[in-house]
Amino acid sequence: MNTKQAMTRLEELGDEKRRIFNKKRGAGDNQFGVKTGDIRKLAKEIKVDHKLGLSLWKTGNADAQMLAILLMRPEELSVKELSTMAKEGTCEWVSDWLSSYVIKQHPEKESVREKWMKSKDAMTARAGWSLTTQRVEKSPDGLDLAGLLDRLEKEMPKAPPQAQWTMNFCLVAIGIHHAEHRDRAIAIGEALGIYSDYPQAKGCTSPFAPIWINEMVSRQKA
C-alpha cells in the first residue's frame, strides 16, 4: 500500500462525530476522524512498513500520524528524527501514541530524556516527562527522586498544559511506587491543586495526584 492509498482508506473510515470528539481533545482540522480501533485494524492489514510510516507522518494528518506510529520500526529512527517527531505530534493523543509505541521503544531514549524534560517545546517536554515516568516505574536505579519532586513542585504550576499532564503522571508514579516519597508527593499535589476540579467520568480515578495515589496504594494493599 502506498501513501495515497492509505490516505484514501483513512478518509473512507472517517466519522464526523469522531472528528468533533478529536477536536475537543486538541486535534485540528487536518484529520478524518477515524476511530482508534479502525486505525489499529488498518495497521494490522498493512503490517510493519517503515517507509510508508515516515511518509504518512509527514502529511500532518492526525489519523495518518497515528497509523504511521504503528507501522514504524523505532530502531530505524535516528535521534534527530525522533526529536523532530516529538515536536510534530498534531495533538496530545498523537503525542502519547508516539511516546508509547515509538519513543519508549527506541534504544537511545535515555540519551534524550533529560534534555527533553527541559525543552521549551510543550510536546517535547511532554514526551520527556513521560520517559521519566517510565524510569520511575520500571528502572528507578540512579534517579534522584527527591530532586524530581523538587522540580515538579517548582515547574508544574507554570508548565504548558501538554507537559503538565505527564509531569502529573510522574508525580503520581513517585507517590505510588516509592513509599518513602509518598507523603511528599501527596503534599505537593495538595499544595498545587492541579486537576483537583478535573471533570471525571463515573468509575474512573481522578487525575488529582492525592486522590490517584491513595486510590492505587489502597488497591495494592487490597
Side-chain angles (χ1 to χ4, degrees):
M1 187 177 292
N2 60 36
T3 305
K4 184 177 180 180
Q5 291 170 330
M7 292 297 287
T8 297
R9 289 289 299 279
L10 287 169
E11 186 171 11
E12 291 170 349
L13 292 167
D15 177 80
E16 183 58 27
K17 289 183 179 180
R18 184 68 186 197
R19 277 178 55 82
I20 294 171
F21 175 79
N22 288 349
K23 290 196 77 169
K24 290 180 180 179
R25 295 286 298 273
D29 293 326
N30 191 1
Q31 56 151 320
F32 299 124
V34 185
K35 297 176 182 178
T36 55
D38 289 335
I39 292 175
R40 293 183 187 278
K41 288 179 184 178
L42 183 55
K44 287 182 179 180
E45 178 184 331
I46 297 172
K47 296 182 172 53
V48 175
D49 188 332
H50 190 71
K51 184 177 179 181
L52 176 58
L54 290 176
S55 179
L56 288 170
W57 180 268
K58 291 176 182 177
T59 67
N61 177 284
D63 305 297
Q65 287 191 334
M66 292 179 79
L67 176 59
I69 289 164
L70 300 179
L71 301 181
M72 291 180 190
R73 293 186 180 92
E75 68 277 6
E76 292 188 17
L77 291 166
S78 68
V79 171
K80 183 177 180 180
E81 287 175 315
L82 200 68
S83 297
T84 298
M85 291 175 69
K87 295 178 182 179
E88 292 178 340
T90 49
C91 61
E92 288 90 342
W93 205 330
V94 172
S95 177
D96 291 346
W97 268 40
L98 180 69
S99 184
S100 295
Y101 296 114
V102 176
I103 294 172
K104 289 181 180 178
Q105 313 306 321
H106 197 276
E108 297 297 324
K109 62 185 179 183
E110 186 60 23
S111 70
V112 299
R113 181 181 63 81
E114 291 192 22
K115 180 180 179 181
W116 286 6
M117 288 165 66
K118 301 173 184 177
S119 177
K120 293 181 180 180
D121 176 74
M123 289 300 195
T124 302
R126 183 183 182 94
W129 280 99
S130 184
L131 282 173
T132 301
T133 300
Q134 184 186 49
R135 278 286 312 272
V136 168
E137 293 175 341
K138 297 184 177 181
S139 53
D141 289 351
L143 278 181
D144 178 6
L145 296 176
L148 281 176
L149 288 173
D150 289 341
R151 286 192 59 181
L152 289 164
E153 185 174 29
K154 180 181 179 181
E155 299 175 22
M156 274 185 73
K158 297 180 181 180
Q162 297 92 332
Q164 196 176 67
W165 184 254
T166 53
M167 293 173 83
N168 188 61
F169 271 64
C170 188
L171 176 64
V172 169
I174 293 173
I176 293 171
H177 297 282
H178 301 279
E180 69 275 22
H181 297 287
R182 184 170 298 146
D183 288 346
R184 188 177 175 212
I186 291 172
I188 289 172
E190 289 175 341
L192 298 183
I194 296 172
Y195 305 125
S196 60
D197 57 353
Y198 193 87
Q200 197 56 45
K202 185 177 180 180
C204 295
T205 302
S206 169
F208 181 45
I211 293 176
W212 192 356
I213 292 169
N214 284 323
E215 173 66 21
M216 297 309 296
V217 171
S218 176
R219 292 184 190 181
Q220 290 173 353
K221 291 179 179 178

